[in-house]
Amino acid sequence: MAEFDWNSLRSFLAIARTGRLTAASARLQVDHMTLSRRIAALEHALKAKLFDRSPSGYGLTEAGQRLLPIAEQMEGLALGVHDLVGGTAETVAGGVRIGSPEGFGSYFLAPRIGRLTERHPQLNVQLVAASAVFSLARRDSDIVVAVSRPAAGRLVVSKLIDYDLALYAAPTYLNAHDAIAGLDDLKRHRFVSYIGDLLNFPELDFLKDVVPEGSTALESSNLVAQLMATLAGAGLCVLPAFLAREEAGLVRVLPDEVRLTRSLWLIVHEDLKSLARVKTALRFIKDEVESAEATFKLD
């Protein structure tokens, strides 16, 4: 193992997680020829083939699969070196990436996240607000706020908060269409909702709980796009209370009949939970949500 080198192991992890040399190259910000040399050096040092190369990408061999959990443990130790050895335990520096649903990320977290960076000038925060599945195993994010609790994995999971949703529409839509006096009337109306076959989380299939027979006038994979369409009068839409309460141009429809509750989960990989920058960001998110708990509930 005299030829073994940590950079080679980092390269192995990046390719294992992305499945492609070009994607791993972009993630590590090194050219693909350097990555190829590092993997070749690692395979030579270990005397084992780690990847099967094909036109579709890089797949782990049996030896690569055995190396992966060991490499992840070594990565966790390496990530903790700065916190444990460099500076003080209170130093909060480096980067932290937060993956979040677009509604929570754009409407709740984004207006507040600047306070975190003001408190810790050496901290760089990346907020990825998208209707996507973030993989902590692939290090898509350091922290994930999710609408669905993960089934398994080396993850630390806690419930962040339960949030309410209701049915909303713009006055322009309501004035131009039949009156809505009860749930049966909804069958004659148009809805703005998610695209079914692009829905990553069943928890977001709201219409099945409100009006299973309803028809959608407009579908989008993005909640903020749904909000904008609803404000423009495209139809009725189920929206989170913390988002809808910020928009004066929305009217709540059937407040006594339509009320849903979903949960947000806070997730971090076991290897990252002790890092100062990750712990600080986790605490910040929890504190901000706790202090604004009422905004997540319907009146």
Side-chain angles (χ1 to χ4, degrees), residues 111-183:
R112 295 168 169 82
I113 202 71
R115 293 201 285 269
L116 177 60
T117 56
E118 287 175 1
R119 295 173 194 168
H120 305 283
Q122 298 180 62
L123 182 66
N124 174 255
V125 177
Q126 296 180 341
L127 176 59
V128 184
S131 56
V133 178
F134 298 100
S135 172
L136 287 164
R138 294 196 306 266
R139 299 297 194 265
D140 292 342
S141 293
D142 301 310
I143 297 169
V144 171
V145 179
V147 297
S148 180
R149 179 168 187 158
R154 296 182 59 243
L155 307 173
V156 178
V157 183
S158 60
K159 181 182 283 190
L160 183 58
I161 196 166
D162 290 329
Y163 67 98
D164 293 334
L165 306 99
L167 189 62
Y168 297 89
T172 52
Y173 176 85
L174 295 174
N175 293 336
H177 294 81
D178 293 343
I180 304 173
L183 291 173

Side-chain angles (χ1 to χ4, degrees), residues 138-247:
R138 294 196 306 266
R139 299 297 194 265
D140 292 342
S141 293
D142 301 310
I143 297 169
V144 171
V145 179
V147 297
S148 180
R149 179 168 187 158
R154 296 182 59 243
L155 307 173
V156 178
V157 183
S158 60
K159 181 182 283 190
L160 183 58
I161 196 166
D162 290 329
Y163 67 98
D164 293 334
L165 306 99
L167 189 62
Y168 297 89
T172 52
Y173 176 85
L174 295 174
N175 293 336
H177 294 81
D178 293 343
I180 304 173
L183 291 173
D184 285 344
D185 295 331
L186 295 178
K187 298 175 184 177
R188 300 192 298 274
H189 285 264
R190 299 180 300 169
F191 290 84
V192 177
S193 187
Y194 284 99
I195 302 172
D197 59 356
L198 296 181
L199 198 59
N200 293 312
F201 306 101
E203 291 87 349
L204 299 182
D205 189 6
F206 304 129
L207 287 190
K208 68 178 177 58
D209 294 326
V210 177
V211 53
E213 301 173 5
S215 61
T216 53
L218 186 146
E219 298 177 344
S220 174
S221 61
N222 185 284
L223 182 62
V224 177
Q226 293 178 37
L227 170 65
M228 294 297 105
T230 304
L231 286 167
L236 300 159
C237 188
V238 176
L239 294 167
F242 69 83
L243 184 153
R245 70 171 66 250
E246 301 295 324
E247 300 293 343

Side-chain angles (χ1 to χ4, degrees), residues 98 104 143-146 150 156-161 264-268 281-283 285-286:
I98 303 168
F104 179 80
I143 297 169
V144 171
V145 179
V156 178
V157 183
S158 60
K159 181 182 283 190
L160 183 58
I161 196 166
L264 289 174
W265 301 89
L266 198 55
I267 312 165
V268 64
L282 284 169
R283 185 71 265 162
I285 295 170
K286 290 178 181 178

Side-chain angles (χ1 to χ4, degrees), residues 51-85:
F51 293 102
D52 287 320
R53 286 81 164 173
S54 72
S56 61
Y58 280 57
L60 288 172
T61 63
E62 184 177 343
Q65 291 173 350
R66 291 198 301 270
L67 176 61
L68 182 61
I70 300 170
E72 289 180 332
Q73 291 177 34
M74 293 176 70
E75 179 190 44
L77 292 172
L79 288 169
V81 166
H82 181 273
D83 290 341
L84 297 174
V85 180

